[in-house]
Amino acid sequence: MSETTSTMTQRYGTPKRGLSPRAQRWGIIGALVIALAAAIYFTVGMAVGQLEYRDVGYTIHSDTQATVDYQVTKDFDATAQCTLHVLDDSYAIVGSRIVTLGPHEGATSADRSQYYRSDLRTEYRGVTGVVDNCWLLED
């Protein structure tokens, strides 16, 4: 041993050994397994309880009547409300309605999505019908 190494050993003690390649490999595998489990947990956990909605179509029947078709994805036992609008060619709201969508039956995750059709009264002739917003009601 050199004089510097001897002095360092006396001052700080003998150096610690690093992890063996086998221990390093198992550490990396363990970290990957934990990361994968966390990703699955957060992906599945976030999908349950989410509310999604989208426009499907609309029909303008007359100057005072329109129909909006839309799809809502929610949990089976959840109750949601959605605001529907009929707009004119300058994007002004000429008809509006809040609809309540109660619990529904289903067995698979695909059954969480349901199609709905709602009639709206309008003040003037509209050119489009949309779902403006949806939210879950607390029990």
Side-chain angles (χ1 to χ4, degrees):
M1 287 181 149
S2 70
E3 186 176 316
T4 306
T5 307
S6 174
T7 306
M8 297 294 264
T9 303
Q10 290 173 355
R11 184 178 294 174
Y12 299 109
T14 57
K16 294 183 181 178
R17 290 183 21 207
L19 292 176
S20 69
R22 183 175 178 191
Q24 289 176 355
R25 192 174 324 123
W26 280 109
I28 292 170
I29 290 171
L32 290 174
V33 167
I34 290 171
L36 179 63
I40 290 171
Y41 172 78
F42 286 114
T43 301
V44 171
M46 295 299 180
V48 175
Q50 280 189 341
L51 176 67
E52 297 177 13
Y53 56 92
R54 69 181 188 96
D55 303 323
V56 174
Y58 64 91
T59 305
I60 306 299
H61 300 287
S62 67
D63 290 346
T64 60
Q65 188 72 25
T67 301
V68 176
D69 298 320
Y70 52 100
Q71 178 184 14
V72 177
T73 303
K74 63 179 185 62
D75 289 339
F76 301 119
D77 58 346
T79 300
Q81 285 189 324
C82 295
T83 303
L84 310 175
H85 290 308
V86 176
L87 308 174
D88 67 6
D89 56 356
S90 64
Y91 301 104
I93 298 172
V94 296
S96 184
R97 179 177 176 192
I98 295 177
V99 294
T100 302
L101 310 171
H104 62 277
E105 297 293 322
T108 66
S109 61
D111 295 334
R112 292 180 63 228
S113 294
Q114 298 285 311
Y115 289 94
Y116 298 94
R117 173 173 284 168
S118 297
D119 294 322
L120 284 82
R121 297 184 65 146
T122 61
E123 293 184 38
Y124 304 102
R125 186 168 192 83
V127 296
T128 188
V130 297
V131 179
D132 182 56
N133 193 14
C134 288
W135 61 91
L136 291 173
L137 296 178
E138 299 295 324
D139 292 332

